[in-house]
Amino acid sequence: MSDYILEIKNLYKEYTSKNITVKAVTDISFNIKKGETVGIVGESGCGKTTLGRCIVRGIPATSGQVLYTAEDGVTYDFLNIDKKKLKELRKDIQMIFQDPYSSLDPRMTVLNIITEPLKANFPKMKKSEMELRAAEIAEKVGLNPSYLKRYPHAFSGGQRQRIGIARALIINPRIIVCDEPVSALDVSIQAQVINLLKDLQRELGLTYIFISHDLSVVEHISDKVGVMYLGKMVEFAETEALFSKPLHPYTEALLSSVPVADPTVKMNRIPLKGEIPNPANPPSGCYFHERCSYCVDKCTKVAPEYREIEKDRFVACHRAEELKLKGFTYDEPKAI
Amino acid sequence: MDRKESIVQVNNLHINIKMDEGILTAVRGVTFHIDRGETLGLVGESGCGKSLTCKAILAINDPKCSTSGEILFNSDDGVVDILRLPPKGSEIRNIRGKQISMIFQEPMVCFSPLYTIGNQINECTRLHITKDKKKSREISIEMMKKVGIANAEKRYDQYPHEFSGGMLQRALIAMALVCNPKLLIADEPTTALDVTIQAQILELIKELQKELKMSVLFVTHDLGTVARMCDRVAVMYLGKIVETGPVEEIYLSPKHPYTIGLIGSVHKIGSKRKERLYSIEGTVPLALNLPAGCGFYDRCQCRIDGVCNVKEPEPVEVGPNHVVSCHAVGQKTGEEGHDIE
């Protein structure tokens, strides 16, 4: 039996239109243990959402494998199983979407929204039982079960996101792909939803893939973090290792740009040159070389290999061993 | 105006909006001032009335908002009350865009897709600086260079769809600064942008502020950017300023339970990981038919029954320039805030 609940191997996704091929996701591999949270960060357009959707098979990947170890200990390639098995296994991998305003059908009641996965997966289940399950789940995510007959417009953003979470949870998934679940919410509501996700994880033993561009949120919730740039994974490591000692210059620049909510902390931003290149026409060699301040001749010609430099530390940079990059210093919490 | 060095002084500003369900009291007695060269951060969640307050300073609110109070602006021709000026008159037009200008939230929707970027920046210069087309083009291009748009001559004749989000935000800043305003209102200028670009834009605003010696009203819900940008912070909740003070005071010893909750709910990278974030329970109520007493009453952990739900708290000075409106703080002066761990 595999150590990992999910192994993503050499995943590619290409979009072609009018003879132009855009590589949205290029050769991504990483593994997730059961009960872990893996954060995926990167700027808009770097392919994080595409990656998430490929993993749940919401869109077909061009090539690659997503090896999923089911509850019975058998490992399946999630991208290459037949329809019947897929239907059975889909229950285990669910998704929470970014925008709680557009991911709920305004013409369905909350009860119908939450029970829809049950209808699809257990067509023989009795209506009364479904309602019971929905009320249970609603309670669990902090929604008043008496509100289930209402329509989504009657709810605030934070409550809608709870509805989205309830919908994902009702068929007892083992893995949830969260695509920017809190970025559309206000700060105090963000904290509520993040706490809820953490509580549910502890209670139900869930595994999360947490996609976000907000580095503070990712640092808070994740055990491991992957950094994406222009469709490629440039670094993957344990959260504290990645934030305190980044190995890739892009990670370093990204970390230095985060505004820390403490006026006494001095920021030394490492400026990035230029803008994100067009993914339809990526630069030669390392995709990041034009903007990198540590670029050497080799970087412009040869694409760096994504390699395991220490145990559980992956990086794609020629100079990873020699560079001494700056991250955050971890210390005891200051009293507020 | 009681403070000579102030560029703008807002006194007891009220904004009501008539709706079918009743009157929405969106802004309820806001008072603040901004000094010359200073950056004031206005922080609050969506719906707390930040944007309406900003727009009132420019007198560009929807006509169905009824506004009262006074907004004293130290203009080129002496102190004027913006609310008393006719909203379409020549006086306010001489202020709007020239002496006070604004950067809006979403750069993608602020530009008309039908006109070139240069054309839209030009609108301002030709209204306020020069009628000469060539000269105004020169001024606009120079400003575009200043905000870091490479190839400004070529970019000048391009349309908004040819710009990326970060570049459009720069163009928007160029548009706001081209007339060298005394006061810049930045309404969530970086919310729609990525972190690396956000950092660039914030640094740019700071640099230009130093160079042009302007005052900035920085409106946001992101406490991280406030800590980086502002000298003073005013925290708004449900149409009122509940706490105001110097930025370090607010972050290191916040007094109002809402401010404490807001700061506690943001995770700081580098601090040891807490299992749970502090969260303020409940949601912001709609400002329709508000009950008497403190607006934060039903979400507050330190509420005092029989006091907080009866009487509105008055602002109390708890330190130099640090003012809080909270009954609980008034009762426990000398104590270091409330415990939220």
Side-chain angles (χ1 to χ4, degrees), chain A residues 29-99:
Chain A
S29 311
F30 62 95
N31 304 328
I32 306 170
K33 281 188 189 135
K34 189 176 179 302
E36 252 183 1
T37 302
V38 170
I40 306 284
V41 293
E43 293 177 88
S44 48
C46 73
K48 13 183 229 309
T49 297
T50 309
L51 172 69
R53 295 198 172 169
C54 284
I55 292 172
V56 299
R57 219 171 145 177
I59 46 176
T62 309
S63 67
Q65 288 181 313
V66 174
L67 300 178
Y68 167 61
T69 307
E71 214 151 10
D72 52 14
V74 185
T75 305
Y76 302 92
D77 180 5
F78 197 66
L79 301 181
N80 275 313
I81 39 179
D82 58 44
K83 260 192 169 160
K84 210 178 134 218
K85 197 76 201 165
L86 175 67
K87 193 156 188 198
E88 196 189 313
L89 292 182
R90 248 211 175 127
K91 288 199 284 289
D92 295 353
I93 307 182
Q94 288 292 311
M95 191 154 181
I96 300 171
F97 297 92
Q98 174 168 16
D99 183 358

Side-chain angles (χ1 to χ4, degrees), chain A residues 43-44 186-188 192 195 198-199 202 216 219-220 222 259-260 263 265 267 269 275 328 330-332, chain B residues 45-46 164 167 194 196 198-199 203 221 228 251 266-267 269-270 272-277 280 282:
Chain A
E43 293 177 88
S44 48
D186 265 321
V187 198
S188 72
Q192 289 176 10
N195 284 341
K198 280 199 133 182
D199 292 344
R202 199 176 314 121
S216 344
E219 199 248 7
H220 178 71
S222 312
V260 182
V265 174
M267 274 181 64
R269 190 170 75 85
E275 286 189 68
F328 284 92
Y330 278 78
D331 54 9
E332 292 298 308
Chain B
E45 294 178 89
S46 43
S164 66
M167 277 297 142
D194 278 318
T196 53
Q198 168 177 305
E203 268 166 33
H221 66 261
R228 303 268 68 92
Y251 279 82
V266 178
H267 172 69
I269 298 179
K272 207 158 205 176
R273 291 217 266 163
K274 276 187 277 179
E275 254 315 286
R276 290 176 67 85
L277 290 172
I280 307 169

Side-chain angles (χ1 to χ4, degrees), chain B residues 115 118-128 136 140 175:
Chain B
Y115 296 91
N119 207 324
Q120 297 183 53
I121 296 177
N122 247 344
E123 217 174 297
C124 219
T125 50
R126 290 180 56 192
L127 251 174
H128 297 300
S136 110
S140 303
M175 197 177 186

Side-chain angles (χ1 to χ4, degrees), chain B residues 33-225:
Chain B
H33 65 92
I34 306 171
D35 292 341
R36 271 180 216 282
E38 185 189 43
T39 305
L40 176 73
L42 197 57
V43 186
E45 294 178 89
S46 43
C48 74
K50 334 183 270 292
S51 291
L52 280 171
T53 306
C54 292
K55 286 182 183 169
I57 297 175
L58 279 173
I60 51 170
N61 265 333
D62 197 283
K64 73 177 179 222
C65 302
S66 64
T67 313
S68 67
E70 56 181 9
I71 297 173
L72 301 174
F73 176 63
N74 209 336
S75 80
D76 293 345
D77 326 307
V79 177
V80 287
D81 183 355
I82 287 173
L83 293 182
R84 301 285 169 282
L85 298 176
K88 288 184 179 169
S90 62
E91 291 139 278
I92 184 74
R93 287 188 171 197
N94 189 32
I95 292 174
R96 199 189 280 151
K98 189 182 179 194
Q99 298 180 45
I100 308 178
S101 61
M102 185 155 170
I103 305 172
F104 294 90
Q105 198 174 125
E106 279 181 64
M108 294 82 174
V109 298
C110 286
F111 282 95
S112 163
L114 299 177
Y115 296 91
T116 60
I117 293 287
N119 207 324
Q120 297 183 53
I121 296 177
N122 247 344
E123 217 174 297
C124 219
T125 50
R126 290 180 56 192
L127 251 174
H128 297 300
I129 302 178
T130 170
K131 290 271 187 301
D132 185 47
K133 276 190 187 175
K134 239 186 171 169
K135 222 173 184 176
S136 110
R137 184 189 165 99
E138 273 167 30
I139 295 171
S140 303
I141 288 180
E142 186 153 321
M143 197 67 226
M144 285 170 75
K145 280 184 187 156
K146 207 176 256 174
V147 297
I149 298 177
N151 256 335
E153 282 89 355
K154 193 180 139 214
R155 290 292 218 172
Y156 181 89
D157 292 313
Q158 285 184 335
Y159 287 89
H161 74 265
E162 293 169 270
F163 279 60
S164 66
M167 277 297 142
L168 265 187
Q169 193 59 279
R170 282 167 193 263
L172 200 61
I173 294 173
M175 197 177 186
L177 297 184
V178 72
C179 295
N180 206 346
K182 290 173 137 182
L183 173 65
L184 175 72
I185 302 172
D187 186 2
E188 310 237 5
T190 56
T191 316
L193 305 173
D194 278 318
V195 266
T196 53
I197 304 184
Q198 168 177 305
Q200 287 173 17
I201 298 279
L202 293 180
E203 268 166 33
L204 175 72
I205 294 177
K206 251 188 161 169
E207 267 165 39
L208 292 170
Q209 177 184 19
K210 240 185 238 159
E211 199 184 320
L212 308 173
K213 295 194 180 56
M214 56 181 180
S215 311
V216 178
L217 176 59
F218 195 87
V219 182
T220 182
H221 66 261
D222 181 356
L223 290 155
T225 53

